Amino acid sequence: MPLAFRSFYRYVAMLLSICLIVSLIMPNFAEAAPGEAKRGNKKEKLTANIGELPNKLPKEKVELTSKRTPFSKRYLNPDGSFSEEIFMEQQFYQDSSDKKWKKVDNKLKKSTKKQESLRIPQVM
């Protein structure tokens, strides 16, 4: 065996020996954080707040309007999975009266108020 391989195997053997010695000296992760685990009662029944999910799976994907964010829409798919559309620009705003996310409408509307004419004084 060439000398280069022997020195390589010697270094690997030394590294493995050091790792084994350290693992024997160091405490286990379970012992590292003493204390009682804070787990819930196993007999306690958990219920999920599913919100607006329908009882039956839809035939087409359905938007979950309560799950909207300013930049995304979330859908329930016919196979029971969820999907999300994420936009680069803000699509929704939160209405201050009912706290629901509504679509941003950037269209200008013609005002019904009487327009005032602008009078520019003539300078001579």
Side-chain angles (χ1 to χ4, degrees), residues 21-71:
I21 291 170
V22 168
S23 68
L24 288 172
I25 296 171
M26 300 299 276
N28 293 334
F29 285 107
E31 297 170 0
E36 191 174 318
K38 296 181 180 177
R39 296 182 182 169
N41 187 1
K42 291 184 179 181
K43 294 180 182 178
E44 182 179 323
K45 195 170 196 177
L46 297 175
T47 57
N49 183 6
I50 56 175
E52 64 180 293
L53 294 179
N55 293 335
K56 295 181 182 178
L57 291 175
K59 293 183 180 180
E60 298 176 353
K61 72 178 186 179
V62 176
E63 183 185 359
L64 304 172
T65 55
S66 68
K67 304 295 182 192
R68 283 182 180 172
T69 66
F71 295 92

Side-chain angles (χ1 to χ4, degrees), residues 63 65 68-70 73 75 85 87 89-95 100-107:
E63 183 185 359
T65 55
R68 283 182 180 172
T69 66
K73 289 182 183 180
Y75 295 96
E85 288 182 12
F87 305 99
E89 297 177 1
Q90 186 170 352
Q91 300 290 315
F92 303 100
Y93 70 96
Q94 193 170 24
D95 192 9
K100 291 186 180 181
W101 292 97
K102 297 186 178 178
K103 183 129 177 86
V104 173
D105 185 14
N106 291 329
K107 296 177 184 173

